[in-house]
Amino acid sequence: TSQSCYSCPPAEAFLNDLAGMGEVVALEFHVDYWDQIVYGGAGQWKDVFSKPAWTDRQRAYALRISRAGRVYTPQMVVGGRAEMVGSRQSEVLDAIEDARRKPPPGLDVAVRDGPAGGIAVSVSGEAAGPAQVWLVRFKRRHETQVLGGENNGKTLVNAHAVLGMEAVGEWAGAAAEFAIPDPGLAAGEGCAILVQADPTGPVLGAAYCPMPNS
């Protein structure tokens, strides 16, 4: 998604709903290719969450799973296996339900509080290994007054906007525990754990971290 994209706010609002579903780990990656577009007299808008790395991530997914082989916004990727226009709620919900009904071999991921403010991650189950274990930090909720671009004058609300991803371990195919002494969360931030065979491969397992106190 992008704060500079006129058609993205409905998909972002829908993702906020998905973030509240108990069995869905919903994450919002903001691409940067909209940041350079001049929209008439409103000029440009630099998305406050955009990163070149998230654009690269989307492009890698496009090569793997996109029907058109192109990047666009708003786009949702479900489980690293399917993609669709992010504002087409029925298609997204169908893809989620399809993943529930016909799950490939997957992993159980559990995240709990660890000592001294850290977290502990347990990974178990059956899947083809090895796979990388990723810590994903995100802003739980953020309001932005947009002062340029296609959404000039709007107040946008973003949920679970990703701030960073860090590899914290490698799952080798057997039940394993991973200790993360400091997830590096600031006030208003949360985190999730993803297990993927590569950075844009199928998601083998995922879970939110325990909710911080602030």
Side-chain angles (χ1 to χ4, degrees):
T1 190
S2 172
Q3 291 180 334
S4 301
C5 162
Y6 182 80
S7 57
C8 284
E12 293 166 351
F14 178 41
L15 185 131
N16 184 43
D17 295 338
L18 294 175
M21 295 174 62
E23 297 181 353
V24 176
V25 174
L27 301 170
E28 200 174 88
F29 291 86
H30 288 236
V31 298
D32 69 343
Y33 48 81
W34 279 92
D35 294 352
Q36 290 76 43
I37 295 176
V38 178
Y39 186 69
Q44 296 170 269
W45 175 253
K46 170 66 168 67
D47 186 327
V48 299
F49 294 113
S50 66
K51 289 180 179 290
W54 307 154
T55 298
D56 292 342
R57 182 178 179 84
Q58 188 189 30
R59 286 174 175 155
Y61 271 129
L63 292 174
R64 281 178 173 267
I65 63 174
S66 176
R67 286 165 290 188
R70 61 183 179 86
V71 297
Y72 63 91
T73 56
Q75 180 187 41
M76 286 205 190
V77 175
V78 178
R81 293 178 169 87
E83 63 85 25
M84 66 288 300
V85 176
S87 55
R88 294 179 180 171
Q89 297 189 21
S90 61
E91 290 187 27
V92 176
L93 294 173
D94 285 347
I96 292 172
E97 184 61 26
D98 189 59
R100 284 194 178 121
R101 286 188 289 105
K102 298 184 295 185
L107 301 176
D108 293 319
V109 179
V111 191
R112 62 188 186 277
D113 290 322
I119 58 175
V121 180
S122 300
V123 181
S124 60
E126 296 182 3
Q132 204 74 40
V133 180
W134 295 90
L135 173 71
V136 184
R137 291 188 305 108
F138 56 82
K139 190 74 172 178
R140 297 202 300 267
R141 185 181 185 278
H142 187 80
E143 288 189 9
T144 304
Q145 300 289 328
V146 178
L147 303 177
E150 285 193 345
N151 289 314
N152 181 42
K154 293 182 179 179
T155 300
L156 302 183
V157 178
N158 293 111
H160 291 200
V162 175
L163 304 171
M165 288 185 69
E166 176 187 0
V168 294
E170 185 171 288
W171 179 74
E177 297 271 342
F178 302 89
I180 304 175
D182 180 11
L185 302 181
E189 294 179 6
C191 65
I193 297 294
L194 300 183
V195 183
Q196 290 184 281
D198 62 59
T200 54
V203 178
L204 304 179
Y208 288 122
C209 303
M211 185 68 71
N213 294 325
S214 59

